[in-house]
């Protein structure tokens, strides 16, 4: 049974940054109702009604995975780790974005799949064979006609974006060698509960995975998790190591350990999610209270990181440029545009937080460490960060 536990109200498509604010642009903006359900049978948490992927993964896709030092390092280190652990001869990446992972492989040793045409162009230009398509049964048939099966398939922050998991995992099964390995990482449900990071729910995050849910789903495609890692990236992610049911890999202790941790946390119980939903409401009211109080005191507040996550917060809490002056972001193709739904101007963050800013709300709270390091000048002159994770608080030097 599917139980709705969270209603995040009317939301825009997070990738739809507006180039200008005029009647035509705002009239054409697409909104949908963002609510989240828990499947009491397989324990999967998903959006109740996913948006059509063709509306999301366009040739104007804004996010660049290589924007932060943290992620560049993370992709380099996982690529090296996978190469030395599994010694793959032929690999594939699903959702290759701007090639930040691919770059660590020789060009004839890996192929890429990327449906956003502007991104696929980047990796093609770098010399990597890139299929500019969505990952599905049809694409796998095409790839396997041209290439051999794979020893390693890797995917970061992509599998959770795909509505049809059965077709996704059947296609993985078909493309793997008998002892091939599929490694994928996505935001972790256990961390969302722990951090109260409800902003991990937006149109692209169709599912938020736990080990218990993913194990149930993989079984249906004759796949299993043989190892798992908890990561710090994106505010808490899981890296699942998956193989065919009859493959040579024995199941690592990490799987049993995380499963029992999840049962202790109650990730199999509806009540865990309904309690989480109450905390989300509380977070909304506390954040609004704080921003309104700062406004009354004539403080200048901006947001740091025009993240997809922060679109959920701004639209759910109804925060516009009455409360947040503008948003800072280092991504060139977001700068000069306006955030989806609430239409707050995005300015370059490259020169640091301007002198006259008193507070910066952390839209990119998942990079707090990196941002704090960069913004020492801001902190030293008394500037403060605001975060909503795990609860509303002010961070100063
Ligand atoms: O899954 C997804 C994740 C991985 O990336 C996608 N569906 C879309 C996107 O989500 P997001 O926008 O919430 O991701 P990030 O990686 O948290 O975005 C960080 C943003 O902050 C980027 O636009 C870059 C910006 N930034 C900055 O301006 N200065 C980041 C850092 C570290 C900085 O110092």
């Amino acid at each position: 049974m599917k139980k709705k536990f969270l209603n995040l109200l009317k939301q825009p498509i997070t990738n739809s940054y507006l180039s200008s604010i005029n009647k035509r642009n705002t009239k054409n903006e697409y909104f949908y109702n963002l609510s989240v359900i828990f499947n009491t049978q397989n324990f999967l948490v998903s959006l109740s009604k996913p948006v059509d992927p063709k509306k999301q993964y366009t040739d104007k896709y804004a996010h660049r995975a290589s924007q932060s030092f943290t992620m560049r390092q993370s992709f380099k280190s996982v690529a090296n780790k996978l190469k030395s652990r599994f010694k793959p001869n032929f690999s594939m990446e699903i959702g290759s974005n701007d090639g930040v992972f691919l770059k660590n492989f020789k060009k004839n040793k890996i192929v890429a799949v990327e449906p956003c045409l502007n991104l696929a162009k980047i990796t093609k230009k770098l010399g990597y064979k890139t299929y500019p398509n969505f990952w599905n049964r049809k694409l796998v048939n095409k790839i396997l006609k041209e290439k051999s099966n794979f020893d390693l398939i890797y995917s970061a922050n992509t599998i959770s974006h795909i509505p049809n998991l059965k077709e996704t995992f059947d296609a993985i099964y078909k493309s793997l060698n008998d002892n091939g390995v599929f490694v994928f990482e996505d935001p972790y449900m256990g961390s969302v509960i722990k951090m109260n990071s409800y902003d991990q729910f937006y149109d692209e995050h169709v599912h938020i995975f736990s080990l218990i849910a993913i194990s149930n789903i993989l079984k249906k495609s004759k796949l299993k998790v043989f190892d798992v890692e908890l990561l710090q990236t994106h505010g808490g992610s899981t890296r699942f190591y998956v193989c065919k049911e009859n493959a040579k890999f024995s199941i690592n202790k990490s799987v049993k350990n995380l499963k029992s941790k999840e049962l202790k946390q109650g990730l199999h119980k509806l009540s865990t999610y309904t309690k989480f939903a109450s905390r989300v409401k509380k977070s909304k009211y506390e954040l609004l209270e704080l921003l309104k109080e700062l406004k009354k005191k004539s403080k200048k507040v901006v947001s740091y990181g025009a993240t997809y996550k922060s679109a959920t917060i701004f639209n759910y809490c109804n925060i516009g440029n009455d409360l947040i002056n503008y948003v800072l972001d280092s991504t060139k193709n977001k700068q000069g545009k306006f955030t989806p739904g609430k239409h707050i101007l995005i300015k370059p963050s490259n020169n640091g937080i301007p002198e006259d800013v008193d507070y910066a709300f952390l839209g990119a709270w998942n990079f707090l460490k990196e941002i704090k390091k960069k913004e020492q000048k801001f902190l030293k002159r008394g500037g403060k960060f605001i975060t909503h994770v795990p609860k509303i608080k002010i961070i100063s030097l």
Side-chain angles (χ1 to χ4, degrees):
M1 255 210 306
K2 290 175 180 171
K3 296 276 190 187
K4 200 181 276 189
F5 64 89
L6 182 63
N7 181 2
L8 292 170
L9 310 177
K10 218 172 82 170
Q11 293 282 347
I13 288 183
T14 42
N15 184 51
S16 59
Y17 297 90
L18 280 76
S19 49
S20 59
I21 301 299
N22 56 45
K23 251 194 188 157
R24 193 169 58 99
N25 276 355
T26 50
K27 213 178 103 195
N28 288 338
E29 217 176 356
Y30 178 87
F31 286 92
Y32 69 102
N33 200 78
L34 175 57
S35 45
V36 190
I37 53 174
F38 172 63
N39 184 322
T40 55
Q41 263 133 24
N42 64 12
F43 313 135
L44 182 66
V45 172
S46 312
L47 303 191
S48 64
K49 224 173 170 194
V51 168
D52 177 1
K54 289 197 188 98
K55 283 192 165 66
Q56 303 166 300
Y57 307 103
T58 64
D59 58 355
K60 291 185 182 58
Y61 197 77
H63 176 72
R64 298 287 184 276
S66 61
Q67 272 305 302
S68 75
F69 174 76
T70 316
M71 290 316 293
R72 287 196 295 277
Q73 286 300 103
S74 162
F75 282 117
K76 190 174 175 184
S77 115
V78 66
N80 289 336
K81 186 166 157 172
L82 297 178
K83 282 192 285 186
S84 83
R85 181 167 174 190
F86 301 112
K87 310 207 168 22
N89 191 36
F90 195 39
S91 308
M92 168 162 63
E93 187 187 11
I94 303 172
S96 48
N97 199 276
D98 58 2
V100 62
F101 173 81
L102 282 184
K103 278 182 195 162
N104 301 289
F105 284 74
K106 288 196 177 127
K107 297 188 172 74
N108 59 342
K109 294 282 185 193
I110 193 161
V111 298
V113 173
E114 175 51 67
C116 303
L117 297 184
N118 59 330
L119 298 173
K121 255 189 209 159
I122 300 176
T123 51
K124 250 186 204 170
K125 220 169 160 188
L126 290 173
Y128 291 94
K129 168 76 187 165
T130 307
Y131 291 90
N133 303 90
F134 286 102
W135 175 253
N136 56 28
R137 197 180 301 124
K138 198 170 147 206
L139 176 65
V140 166
N141 291 337
K142 179 180 154 80
I143 295 177
L144 292 180
K145 260 189 206 153
E146 296 174 9
K147 308 276 174 196
S148 62
N149 281 55
F150 297 89
D151 305 310
L152 172 71
I153 303 176
Y154 175 77
S155 185
N157 302 304
T158 300
I159 301 301
S160 63
H161 296 47
I162 310 179
N164 189 341
L165 292 178
K166 176 75 168 82
E167 180 173 350
T168 298
F169 291 134
D170 283 350
I172 294 285
Y173 184 94
K174 199 167 176 185
S175 359
L176 278 180
N177 276 324
D178 285 349
N179 282 311
V181 177
F182 171 44
V183 179
F184 70 105
E185 53 190 81
D186 284 281
Y188 179 45
M189 196 59 230
S191 305
V192 172
I193 296 281
K194 195 170 143 202
M195 303 294 285
N196 211 32
S197 48
Y198 67 91
D199 51 333
Q200 290 288 11
F201 293 110
Y202 52 87
D203 61 320
E204 294 190 2
H205 285 172
V206 181
H207 319 280
I208 302 282
F209 299 135
S210 59
L211 172 63
I212 48 174
I214 215 67
S215 304
N216 285 330
I217 291 158
L218 287 171
K219 227 183 266 167
K220 301 231 151 107
S221 299
K222 299 195 184 101
L223 294 165
K224 65 178 181 194
V225 177
F226 68 92
D227 199 357
V228 62
E229 284 170 53
L230 286 183
L231 312 172
Q232 297 292 316
T233 46
H234 291 295
S237 299
T238 25
R239 181 177 293 146
F240 297 111
Y241 292 75
V242 172
C243 64
K244 293 188 177 179
E245 263 172 6
N246 298 324
K248 64 178 182 187
F249 301 98
S250 47
I251 301 199
N252 196 292
K253 257 199 335 243
S254 60
V255 177
K256 198 176 154 204
N257 289 349
L258 186 59
K259 243 180 212 170
S260 54
K261 211 171 141 194
E262 290 189 350
L263 296 179
K264 245 191 212 156
Q265 198 185 359
L267 296 188
H268 59 308
K269 286 186 197 154
L270 177 63
S271 59
T272 305
Y273 300 95
T274 51
K275 279 181 204 154
F276 162 72
S278 310
R279 294 198 298 276
V280 171
K281 269 192 193 153
K282 188 167 179 262
S283 172
K284 169 178 175 166
Y285 293 114
E286 287 180 7
L287 178 60
L288 279 171
E289 213 173 299
L290 173 62
L291 293 177
K292 284 176 183 165
E293 190 190 310
L294 293 176
K295 192 184 172 178
K296 242 193 242 160
K297 291 183 180 158
S298 303
K299 298 290 181 195
K300 187 158 187 174
V301 184
V302 301
S303 186
Y304 201 101
T307 56
Y308 291 39
K309 292 185 288 294
S310 58
T312 293
I313 301 179
F314 294 161
N315 286 281
Y316 172 62
C317 301
N318 194 18
I319 294 169
N321 50 17
D322 51 332
L323 296 174
I324 299 275
N325 272 259
Y326 53 84
V327 183
L328 290 165
D329 199 287
S330 60
T331 320
K332 265 213 170 92
N333 54 307
K334 289 183 186 174
Q335 296 163 1
K337 294 189 177 157
F338 297 84
T339 64
K342 301 315 289 181
H343 309 158
I344 309 174
L345 177 65
I346 303 166
K347 294 188 181 184
S349 65
N350 311 58
N351 295 327
I353 302 174
E355 291 269 317
D356 59 346
V357 171
D358 301 299
Y359 290 83
F361 174 73
L362 285 164
W365 56 269
N366 43 317
F367 293 117
L368 173 63
K369 227 169 148 186
E370 184 175 337
I371 294 170
K372 257 179 124 177
K373 212 167 158 190
K374 258 184 219 169
E375 297 295 344
Q376 277 301 302
K377 227 168 124 187
F378 168 70
L379 287 166
K380 279 187 184 146
R381 67 166 171 77
K384 294 177 176 67
F385 288 112
I386 300 170
T387 187
H388 71 293
V389 290
K391 53 185 184 193
I392 307 298
K393 67 174 177 210
I394 290 173
I395 300 167
S396 48
L397 194 63

